[in-house]
Amino acid sequence: MPSKSEFQKTPGWLDWYARPSKPRFKVPGGAVDAHCHVFGPEAKFPYAPERKYTPCDAPKEKLFALRDFLGFARNVIVQASCHAKDNRALVDALETAGDKARGVAFVGEEVTDGELKAMDKAGVRGVRFNFVRRLVDFTPRDVLERIAARITPLGWHIVVYFEMADLPELEPFFTSLPTTVVVDHMGTPDVKKGVDHPENQRFHRLMDRHKNFWVKATCPERMTLLGPPYDDVVPFARSLVEKFPDRVIWGTDWPHPNMKKEAPDDGMLVDFIPRIAPSAAVQHALLADNPMRLYWR
Ligand code: 0GY
């Protein structure tokens, strides 16, 4: 990994893990890190005035170096709330990566058809609807419905980020969406309640009944009560991989925005993979076949 000293850190947010360990697990050829971000650099791509946190810069060069270091072939870069609807840093990273990256944007209904088309050309394949209150202000459902209708003809999908306790309220809206729907971070279950808790089982039922739903088996570091190596999150991720082997994807979440105590070691996150996807066939589906089907069609 190149030194990070050349990049400016904005105070008030944890830096990412500087020297990730080399994972013991060798990811299959063509593997995709299907959830990660680029932030800034602020001097070129300023953070949004309405942001709820200020990250340190996490530019494309650092992301691509991490991709290579961990053994991945491709990235799916997801627009985070600190850049709000300004997708320039994302598009810039996609244009640099060429076929090695795809993106998920965040747009308002003021976005023009020309802008959507340009983002599609750069490699954007979805939009993110964020319902996490600490990250974004409320957007009325009818606005989201109009955005969904606009992106459907492009063949894009919708990524939803929410907290599991809010699922009962959100589910009717989610199931009415006309596209493939990809759920961030396992639906963010409350790990102390356990896999069999009705709240988590409700999410499994949703996945079961609605075959247009996919899920990211990501972010054990956000849910764990025990810390690394995230033993308490293994059953949550593993049950999703077992039940929905052709609709589950995986990513690092680098540079891990909003981690309050400790930024995770990305090498250790990669070593989480064989614990949730024990066979080579399932690993290949999780890391290569599934994300390729979703993002590189
Ligand atoms: C993530 C998670 C977080 C942040 C964002 O949009 C965002 O700012 O996604 C979070 O704080 O949980 O997906 O990386």
Side-chain angles (χ1 to χ4, degrees):
M1 292 284 290
S3 144
K4 64 177 179 178
S5 56
E6 67 264 38
F7 300 116
Q8 180 84 36
K9 180 186 171 191
T10 309
W13 188 64
L14 258 185
D15 216 340
W16 68 86
Y17 202 87
R19 275 179 203 77
S21 57
K22 193 83 184 165
R24 272 162 304 169
F25 174 61
K26 292 250 169 305
V27 301
V32 183
D33 174 355
H35 185 97
C36 49
H37 309 283
V38 286
F39 296 151
E42 190 174 18
K44 193 167 178 201
F45 303 114
Y47 299 113
E50 68 268 42
R51 69 189 181 278
K52 308 283 187 202
Y53 64 91
T54 301
C56 64
D57 285 346
K60 59 186 177 183
E61 294 83 0
K62 297 291 295 184
L63 175 65
F64 301 151
L66 181 75
R67 173 198 67 201
D68 297 345
F69 177 79
L70 297 175
F72 285 84
R74 298 179 179 87
N75 295 115
V76 178
I77 308 173
V78 178
Q79 178 77 351
S81 58
C82 55
H83 276 302
K85 296 168 192 164
D86 179 352
N87 294 283
R88 281 177 302 159
L90 167 68
V91 166
D92 175 70
L94 294 177
E95 285 172 346
T96 302
D99 201 45
K100 288 184 169 183
R102 295 287 187 261
V104 174
F106 181 63
V107 302
E109 63 173 337
E110 66 284 355
V111 70
T112 66
D113 288 340
E115 286 164 344
L116 289 175
K117 228 173 164 175
M119 283 194 271
D120 185 70
K121 187 159 179 275
V124 171
R125 295 292 178 266
V127 290
R128 193 182 199 200
F129 290 175
N130 192 332
F131 299 89
V132 178
R133 289 171 235 258
R134 70 186 160 78
L135 292 173
V136 286
D137 296 327
F138 176 80
T139 308
R141 300 280 188 277
D142 57 319
V143 172
L144 297 177
E145 277 162 9
R146 287 197 289 275
I147 294 169
R150 300 264 310 280
I151 59 107
T152 303
L154 292 164
W156 290 10
H157 59 258
I158 294 167
V159 172
V160 291
Y161 188 20
F162 59 95
E163 284 169 344
M164 196 172 268
D166 296 328
L167 183 58
E169 184 210 323
L170 292 166
E171 192 169 337
F173 173 67
F174 288 169
T175 54
S176 74
L177 290 169
T179 64
T180 293
V181 178
V182 184
V183 175
D184 270 341
H185 313 337
M186 303 189 256
T188 60
D190 180 346
V191 164
K192 76 174 169 309
K193 291 179 177 166
V195 179
D196 295 330
H197 190 277
E199 207 171 82
N200 193 49
Q201 287 307 309
R202 179 185 185 120
F203 175 56
H204 282 215
R205 265 198 318 280
L206 167 71
M207 290 286 305
D208 228 357
R209 287 184 187 152
H210 298 274
K211 307 293 184 213
N212 62 322
F213 275 68
W214 291 51
V215 62
K216 297 180 192 173
T218 41
C219 289
E221 74 284 2
R222 291 188 184 279
M223 292 150 214
T224 185
L225 301 170
L226 302 176
Y230 317 118
D231 292 351
D232 51 344
V233 191
V234 169
F236 288 84
R238 191 170 169 145
S239 60
L240 290 170
V241 174
E242 267 168 16
K243 282 191 180 171
F244 312 107
D246 56 350
R247 290 186 279 141
V248 65
I249 58 179
W250 185 90
T252 55
D253 192 33
W254 187 89
H256 313 285
N258 282 316
M259 291 300 294
K260 296 284 184 276
K261 279 196 296 206
E262 191 184 20
D265 169 355
D266 295 282
M268 195 175 264
L269 288 172
V270 171
D271 280 330
F272 187 72
I273 297 170
R275 304 174 68 204
I276 66 169
S279 77
V282 177
Q283 289 161 7
H284 204 272
L286 175 71
L287 296 170
D289 301 336
N290 296 348
M292 289 306 286
R293 224 164 61 246
L294 196 55
Y295 286 95
W296 271 266
R297 286 173 294 115

